[in-house]
Amino acid sequence: MPSSELWAVDLFGRVFTLSTAGQQWELCRDAQLEFKRVSAAAPCCWGIACDNQVYVRVGASDVPIRCREEAYENQRWNPMGGFCEALLPSDRWPWSDVSGLQHRPLDGVALPSPHWEWESDWYVDENFGGEPTEKGGWTYAIDFPHTYTRDKKWNSCVRRRRWTRYRRYKSRDTWAKIPSEDDPQQLPDPFSDLSVGGWEITDEPVGRLSVWAVSLQGKVWYREDVSHSNPEGSSWSLVDTPGEAVQISCGPHDLLWVSLWEGQALVREGINRNNPKGSSWSVVEPPTSENGILHVSAGVGVVWAVTKDRKVWFRRGVNSHNPCGTSWIEMVGEMMMVNVGLNDQVWGIGWADRALYFRHGVTQSELSGKTWKAIVAGRECDGSRAGSLSSLLSAGCFFGDEVRGGGESRVPSDSEAERPGPDPERDVEVAGPASAPAELPWTNIDLKEPKKGPSHAAADFPEATNLSSLALLPLGLEEPDSADCHALWGWVSGGGCAVEAHTTLKWFTAHSGLPASMQMLSLPITPAQTAAWRKQIFQQLTERTQRELENFRHYEQAVEQSVWVKTGALQWWCDWKPHKWVDVRVALEQFTGHDGVRDSILFIYYMIHEEKKYIHVFLNEVTALVPVLNEAKHSFAVYTPERTRQRWPVRLAAATEQDMSDWLALLNLCCCESRRVHGRPSPQAIWSVTCKGDIFVSEPSPDLEAPERWLPCDQMFWRQMGGHLRVVEANSRGVVWGIGYDHTAWVYTGGYGGGCFQGLASSTSNIYTQSDVKCVYIYENQRWNPVTGYTSRGLPTDRYMWSDATGLQECTKASTKPPSLQWAWVSDWFVDFSVPGGTDQEGWQYASDFPALYHGHKTMKDFVRRRCWTRKCKLVTSGPWLEVAPIALGDVSIIPEIPGAHGSGPGIALWAVSDKGDVLCRLGVCELNPAGSSWLHVGTDQPFASVSIGGCYQVWAVARDGSAFYRGSVSPSKPAGDCWYLIPSPPKQRLKQVSVGRTAVFALDENGNLWHRQGVTPSYPQGTSWEHVSNNVRRVSVGPLDQVWVIASKVQGSHSLSRGTVCRRTGVQPLEPKGQGWDYGIGGGWDHLSVRASATRAPRSSSQETAGKRRGELGLPSGPSKVAGAPQETPNPVCC
């Protein structure tokens, strides 16, 4: 899990952050701003400074915040002069928005605030629905508004084109002042409190935030249009309240609580996707009538409060359906304030000592936690305190019942604070000017008037432990930073701090070891240095072993001949009809031969017609052991070449998950021993992922890609690696990346095993904890009734009213379980508004009948509708993977290389597409640092879905609208290239994935059709046209030898039909780059495949080498330069 940050403000107005992976506070140095309080979210932090202005701080990221501005140029055809800007009086503006109702000239589009800058000038967008338009970008129609086409027709009387310009948010990692309202009458009065939340409101659009504030007059304000693409928002809107508010708290979901001056609390109800401001208020009485609520904090499903007597209270029974809760429970401790963060973790500031505390033991089953633990993390040393105090003392400012001159001050010692009875008054003299200031500066130091007393030396001023006895320090003295004196905090915010229940924090122990000066001088060890050190140690140990064994080489090797047997009780899915689970006894017999090679046989004993029979499987013939995870059985499948061709593996099930893991690990170990496959995979291994997220790897044989005697891919041996991924991508230099279902990026560490593979089946190092989150979807279906409207009572021939996407299987909220017993629910059911086709405000999609094409608006012909419900579940496992934070990815591609080939430099090119559609290039990737160093953003005009880089640095990509693009001028010296070229898609097809090998380019459309790009040459890398290769394809991967592998959707075997089968394209040659046929391998249940590291060549004959040299002299053509009868396509450059 990536590290996150806890935000806090001390009594001097300085803002600090504390990482969950660190143990020291880091100061947010910026422009000498002093803050009263802050409110943090995952992507940003809002704050109220001492000048009563609101600021926002957006964290630095390699992906910029970009916003597209659009303007449309409209023209009408004139019989005299053709198309011109002379429009009819009833027409739209010559320059307008997309609707034509708003006048929008190019020079009238301005930046919303000084924190933005233009990324480029205005240019014409020539992409229309994934297809290039004619030169000029015009689209034509009969009239305004109408359906536009890119082809000009005889009745095209109007036309328009879109002008585009991007603006970029530039105030990253700094405090940006929120611009005030232009109208002074609409300007809200100064704010006293502020809260950020709502980013996980049920069905909330991704990236939207809810920012609430309370003014000094007790009014509640809401910031409109705050989102990831607009971090500042647009304006403040007033929300009426039944009383004067003091403090406000907004949770990550839809909880909003407000404390009132009278001591009561207000709860906002009706907050949802369509109404983030809510609809009404409900009043909650304080825990006791004597002491009202002073402070309140809302989380995901909890509410904590502090009353005026500093007691801490926990609200029971709070959830989205009952935001008011049921009752109060008093907790231990006296706090000045509390704050609830992500995962309902709680932080507080003590009333007596102003120390920062963390609520230990908060879990989903025990939301109130167990005890308070003090955070003792150290802070950075800086001299900003002296300047702040000097300015206040020189101005003679004391904050209490009255303002005194600068000649008096008072700071009690620790011993005096502990002395019982009344404190003797002492005078303290402070050097400095004694003139009173003309204007008091703003500060957030809430101090009482200091008492008079005798002076103290500079060494007698330790920090006070009680706020009531705290005063300003003498001029020129800094706050002590010794380990004995803790910091005094004024505010804390954990809205962006994610602490899991199993996370081990370093906050609660003082930093020991080297002194601070020595720590500053110590040089950090980079991953590259660590890898080089490990490699050196391993080389020295290898040389030492060879020297010690040199004298014993003439000894005869001792061979132990033994037999080892393991038995147990399992269940077997029988081969005959009716297919059912049968109780069987299994025996694994392992023996060692005369040559020292271990081999094993698996016997399965079953009863049929009261007769005992058995089947056996030689483990040296097993090609894969695949866990078959479902909600009912702990089962796994055993594949052999014969069983693979039949599409009918041997399926076994255990009684418990531990039994299945033990058998699976033991069988994997026996299979690896019989095939002599041990350790980490080779750099040229083939990686794959099943539909359940399990990772498999296969070592390629030199005969695998042989043109004459190739090895059938159903004989390939696949062994499972630890971890859980959705996508995996490999390189022949050992760099492997993966992406989880939650779009988290992972990099391979070089180990093997993890998860259920322990002991000899797993490496002892490079194994780390890995988690993944995925969504489970079900559909609510309804049919229209003339009397009652849409109801859940359908026709007898209709699908289930609660079903899966196909409608063939009944799935209700109560009966739907996580994908397997390894997953656990982490959210409740909520409506999914992001389904293809769009939805209405309630999430419904309409159609004429089941099944049909669904759309998001109701028409007169729509008699059925459906709504998608989703629920998140989480899996925690382990494997040889490390997280690459913080950008979530949707696709990744690593350059395919041939070991020893000319042009292989130290760096490895890696491109990726983020979950939001941004195209990224990873810098600093090499064998010693496979994770790389930083991301380089590559500008695009629209969100992308897939990207692939070829062996000659040719980068192809597919946008979300199905159009293809080629990136020009990409090279090691210019890793991001310079311009995108729009490539026309196949006729009437929308592409979804592209894969580029050394020279070959293959693409896959949404209908499962595989296409090959013809005419790709070094002088014309964009190619000429698309040629259809095959259908029934789910995923394609092209390797460094231009070999083509796919995941087939359906493959019929002799016994059954498999879905998701690994297939290899046969007959791929330089003159036949698209191949001739298919070789079917392991399946089904496979979902992803990567052969981009497989550069194992078969021995070539002299005639083949001569043909290869001749092909290199001719410029590596991958096919005919032009298809007969096909026009030459000219890609259009797209400025970004």
Side-chain angles (χ1 to χ4, degrees), residues 46-175:
W46 288 64
I48 301 177
C50 292
D51 58 358
N52 285 336
Q53 297 294 329
V54 179
Y55 293 81
V56 61
R57 187 185 184 98
V58 182
S61 176
D62 295 327
V63 179
I65 298 177
R66 306 169 71 230
C67 187
R68 183 172 63 183
E69 298 287 351
E70 296 179 350
Y72 286 84
E73 181 182 2
N74 307 301
Q75 292 185 357
R76 178 175 286 276
W77 183 79
N78 191 304
M80 302 297 296
F83 285 99
C84 61
E85 294 185 359
L87 303 178
L88 299 178
S90 59
D91 282 341
R92 55 183 62 190
W93 298 91
W95 292 88
S96 68
D97 60 354
V98 63
S99 64
L101 301 178
Q102 182 180 357
H103 185 45
R104 193 176 177 82
L106 297 184
D107 55 358
V109 180
L111 294 173
S113 72
H115 307 300
W116 294 85
E117 62 182 358
W118 290 115
E119 190 178 83
S120 62
D121 202 355
W122 289 100
Y123 64 91
V124 177
D125 188 359
E126 298 184 354
N127 183 10
F128 179 74
E131 296 291 337
T133 61
E134 295 181 359
K135 190 172 181 62
W138 293 102
T139 56
Y140 300 87
I142 299 177
D143 200 357
F144 298 121
H146 210 273
T147 302
Y148 294 89
T149 62
R150 64 189 184 99
D151 299 325
K152 181 182 177 182
K153 303 178 181 179
W154 65 271
N155 58 352
S156 299
C157 299
V158 297
R159 68 176 184 179
R160 72 173 185 180
R161 60 179 175 181
R162 180 172 61 184
W163 290 78
T164 303
R165 191 180 191 183
Y166 280 86
R167 53 183 169 93
R168 183 192 298 256
Y169 188 77
K170 63 179 182 179
S171 298
R172 305 292 292 266
D173 207 19
T174 184
W175 291 104

Side-chain angles (χ1 to χ4, degrees), residues 868-908:
C868 181
W869 292 81
T870 183
R871 192 177 186 183
K872 294 181 180 180
C873 54
K874 185 176 183 179
L875 174 142
V876 178
T877 182
S878 62
W881 304 93
L882 270 179
E883 183 173 353
V884 183
I887 299 175
L889 300 182
D891 192 22
V892 64
S893 177
I894 311 176
I895 185 171
E897 297 178 335
I898 300 177
H902 177 70
S904 297
I908 298 175

Side-chain angles (χ1 to χ4, degrees), residues 320-651:
S320 297
H321 305 288
N322 183 24
C324 297
T326 57
S327 61
W328 293 102
I329 301 176
E330 185 177 359
M331 311 302 292
V332 177
E334 293 184 356
M335 295 289 173
M336 187 191 76
M337 60 89 65
V338 292
N339 185 265
V340 183
L342 301 177
N343 302 324
D344 288 334
Q345 303 295 325
V346 185
W347 292 266
I349 296 179
W351 166 245
D353 55 1
R354 286 295 181 106
L356 190 57
Y357 293 89
F358 173 72
R359 189 67 177 175
H360 181 69
V362 175
T363 61
Q364 293 297 324
S365 59
E366 190 174 356
L367 295 174
S368 60
K370 297 180 180 179
T371 183
W372 294 103
K373 296 184 66 175
I375 297 178
V376 294
R379 296 193 299 176
E380 292 182 348
C381 297
D382 62 272
S384 61
R385 281 164 285 200
S388 172
L389 294 175
S390 301
S391 61
L392 292 175
L393 289 173
S394 62
C397 299
F398 276 14
F399 295 87
D401 297 335
E402 62 182 30
V403 178
R404 298 188 176 225
E408 296 180 356
S409 180
R410 167 77 168 85
V411 178
S413 64
D414 288 340
S415 58
E416 179 184 348
E418 296 175 359
R419 187 181 301 120
D423 297 335
E425 295 184 353
R426 300 177 182 178
D427 295 332
V428 179
E429 296 182 0
V430 179
S435 58
E439 181 180 358
L440 295 179
W442 287 100
T443 181
N444 69 328
I445 306 177
D446 185 15
L447 303 178
K448 293 186 178 181
E449 180 184 359
K451 298 181 180 181
K452 298 180 181 179
S455 60
H456 293 265
D460 296 332
F461 286 95
E463 289 185 357
T465 58
N466 196 309
L467 179 64
S468 61
S469 62
L470 181 65
L472 295 178
L473 299 177
L475 179 63
L477 294 181
E478 297 184 6
E479 179 188 355
D481 275 320
S482 63
D484 298 332
C485 299
H486 66 268
L488 302 182
W489 299 103
W491 198 262
V492 64
S493 177
C497 186
V499 179
E500 298 286 349
H502 56 80
T503 303
T504 302
L505 300 174
K506 305 176 183 178
W507 299 347
F508 313 112
T509 56
H511 184 62
S512 60
L514 296 176
S517 58
M518 296 293 292
Q519 295 174 14
M520 296 296 293
L521 294 176
S522 62
L523 297 177
I525 300 178
T526 63
Q529 294 171 341
T530 302
W533 170 73
R534 291 178 181 273
K535 186 176 181 180
Q536 182 181 2
I537 295 295
F538 178 76
Q539 184 177 1
Q540 293 176 356
L541 291 175
T542 303
E543 294 175 355
R544 175 184 173 182
T545 303
Q546 292 177 354
R547 290 195 305 267
E548 293 178 350
L549 296 180
E550 185 68 25
N551 298 328
F552 304 95
R553 296 183 59 183
H554 61 280
Y555 281 72
E556 182 179 358
Q557 184 177 4
V559 178
E560 179 185 0
Q561 299 182 16
S562 61
V563 177
W564 176 84
V565 179
K566 174 181 173 60
T567 61
L570 298 176
Q571 286 187 318
W572 171 54
W573 187 254
C574 61
D575 293 339
W576 56 85
K577 294 182 180 180
H579 303 295
K580 60 181 180 179
W581 289 103
V582 179
D583 294 331
V584 296
R585 296 287 300 177
V586 295
L588 175 62
E589 179 178 333
Q590 185 183 69
F591 56 90
T592 304
H594 295 281
D595 55 354
V597 178
R598 294 182 179 179
D599 207 346
S600 304
I601 304 178
L602 178 65
F603 294 92
I604 303 175
Y605 300 94
Y606 61 93
M607 297 291 295
I608 179 172
H609 303 304
E610 299 182 356
E611 182 181 357
K612 186 176 182 179
K613 294 186 177 182
Y614 74 92
I615 61 174
H616 65 277
V617 178
F618 293 98
L619 294 193
N620 60 1
E621 297 180 356
V622 172
T623 56
L625 294 164
V626 185
V628 184
L629 303 177
N630 55 58
E631 60 188 39
K633 292 285 185 179
H634 305 278
S635 61
F636 60 94
V638 181
Y639 284 88
T640 63
E642 180 64 26
R643 292 277 181 170
T644 299
R645 289 187 290 269
Q646 296 176 356
R647 306 297 160 191
W648 191 266
V650 178
R651 291 186 59 182

